[in-house]
Amino acid sequence: MKLYYAPGACSLSPHIVAREGNLPVEMVKVLFAGGRTTETGENFYDINPMGYVPTLRLDNGEVLTEGVAIVQYLADQAPSANLVPQKGSMPYYRTLEWLTFISSELHKGFSPLFRSGISEAEKASIVERLAKRYDRLEKALSTGAYLLGDIFTVADAYCYTILRWTPRAGIDLSKYPNLSAYMKRIETRSAVQVALKEEELV
Ligand SMILES: N[C@@H](CCC(=O)N[C@@H](CS)C(=O)NCC(=O)O)C(=O)O
């Protein structure tokens, strides 16, 4: 399998899942500044016409897009790593709930901040909206080490990835003690360290 990524982008989430699951996933960097070619010289639009990462190419050539789908696919390839609770159980639906929250409320809440020409007023309103999402996460993490309690799931890989962008919003994470501890806890996981090193983020 090949996972197309950009360093520190949302593709870090499936990258972490791949390493947590000890899966033989080859990482291929997409050069956003280079007209969307890959480091191996492919035209990335030929692989994903939307031009965004993460994108997973399976060994049979099939392409899977959308981070939320990719992390679940990867988790299913490594069942012994327990990265998704048993399908049909309440914790499974909680995982889907968190994945959807992170995707639509957090990840896409951040996206406008990366656009050029955003005004200070727009930025302030985006940050205010994001802060409410941080409040929800802070409360959720008051009762457990991870979003689902004691077990690390794909939702944590995604949440950690997006919260790494906190400095871009100018949000002070130290105001959120549970979230600060959560980030440190995840960062020290050996699979996370491997993924960070492979993306040259540490
Ligand atoms: N709906 C996609 C969005 C992925 C996405 O926003 N990727 C960003 C990086 S975090 C990207 O590649 N942006 C470049 C672009 O959209 O052209 C998903 O959830 O996987």
Side-chain angles (χ1 to χ4, degrees), residues 68-86:
V68 166
I70 293 171
V71 292
Q72 292 181 76
Y73 177 84
L74 291 173
D76 284 348
Q77 308 314 302
S80 59
N82 287 321
L83 295 164
V84 172
Q86 191 185 9

Side-chain angles (χ1 to χ4, degrees), residues 9-10 32 36 50-54 66-68 103 107-108 158 165:
C10 50
F32 278 179
R36 308 275 152 122
M50 299 301 292
Y52 55 61
V53 294
E66 302 303 325
V68 166
S103 173
H107 180 180
K108 288 301 149 185
Y158 193 15
W165 302 345

Side-chain angles (χ1 to χ4, degrees), residues 29-48:
K29 195 192 288 182
V30 178
L31 309 170
F32 278 179
R36 308 275 152 122
T37 52
T38 70
E39 61 182 339
T40 49
E42 296 168 289
N43 178 352
F44 185 53
Y45 287 111
D46 290 341
I47 300 154
N48 179 357

